[in-house]
Amino acid sequence: VLFLRTDADRKDGLYPVYIHLTIGSKVLKHPTGVRINPAHWDSAKRTVNQYCPQYLLIHKQLQDELAKVTDII
């Protein structure tokens, strides 16, 4: 599951996107390397929204990160 980490803002107003995994009783929060304006985040769908200027690029990066993590586990 992707989530926007709102407790880690920067001066530029961008927040990091993390992958949240629960495996058994262990919780893993893995950074995706993507930072995004919260106005461009769809919390219901847990992904970047289409109003983001770099929607296609960021969406692909997030899907690639999810695939990498899924392949590992």
Side-chain angles (χ1 to χ4, degrees):
V1 176
L2 293 169
F3 73 97
L4 194 63
R5 189 169 166 206
T6 55
D7 64 332
D9 66 328
R10 295 187 339 186
K11 290 181 182 178
D12 60 6
L14 302 179
Y15 294 84
V17 179
Y18 274 67
I19 298 172
H20 182 273
L21 292 170
T22 304
I23 303 169
S25 62
K26 298 200 180 219
V27 175
L28 171 69
K29 293 179 182 176
H30 175 73
T32 62
V34 173
R35 291 187 173 272
I36 191 168
N37 182 322
H40 297 146
W41 183 253
D42 185 335
S43 355
K45 294 181 181 177
R46 296 183 181 257
T47 191
V48 61
N49 66 35
Q50 63 188 4
Y51 303 110
C52 179
Q54 297 175 330
Y55 168 75
L56 292 175
L57 175 67
I58 292 173
H59 182 73
K60 177 157 179 23
Q61 284 178 308
L62 294 174
Q63 294 306 312
D64 289 348
E65 281 296 316
L66 277 172
K68 274 196 267 185
V69 170
T70 304
D71 287 346
I72 292 171
I73 59 168

